[in-house]
Amino acid sequence: MSNRNEMERIIRAYTAGEKTLAEANAELAPYGISLDPGKNVIRPGEEDRFGLLDTGTGSMDKVEVRNGELVNCDVGTMPADFYFGGKVYAVHGRKLEAKD
């Protein structure tokens, strides 16, 4: 499994509520990345409303989603991925499109 696939698996598990932030960060550490506890905490019970937005800037942002669209966030034409509920979505403006 490639490093990218393994990192994606860990982040998916975190956004699905299957791992805590500490567990995810421990598993991500060998890849030189971590989720910021000040920005990325998805608390128990928030997994159905929040995910992590990856715009390629080197850090992810916790963003709310509703009805298949990002709330208060629009990436325009910039390529971005959204990790939500254990899945990865491509983002087009505010709309999510399943990647798998």
Side-chain angles (χ1 to χ4, degrees):
M1 182 178 289
S2 75
N3 288 351
R4 172 84 177 158
N5 289 344
E6 183 60 16
M7 289 183 293
E8 190 172 279
R9 182 196 64 75
I10 295 164
I11 295 167
R12 285 177 181 220
Y14 171 65
T15 63
E18 297 167 2
K19 293 187 182 300
T20 66
L21 185 71
E23 291 168 334
N25 277 340
E27 291 184 35
L28 291 168
Y31 304 105
I33 66 168
S34 66
L35 300 174
D36 182 343
K39 293 175 62 170
N40 304 128
V41 177
I42 298 173
R43 291 174 174 68
E46 290 184 337
E47 300 91 354
D48 63 340
R49 290 185 11 245
F50 290 92
L52 298 177
L53 179 64
D54 181 2
T55 58
T57 61
S59 66
M60 294 188 186
D61 297 299
K62 178 181 173 181
V63 176
E64 188 173 4
V65 65
R66 188 178 312 133
N67 299 322
E69 292 188 359
L70 302 179
V71 176
N72 299 322
C73 184
D74 188 327
V75 300
T77 59
M78 173 177 40
D81 288 332
F82 188 67
Y83 293 83
F84 176 67
K87 297 183 180 178
V88 182
Y89 298 85
V91 183
H92 304 283
R94 293 176 36 174
K95 296 191 181 291
L96 304 181
E97 178 183 303
K99 289 182 80 172
D100 44 64

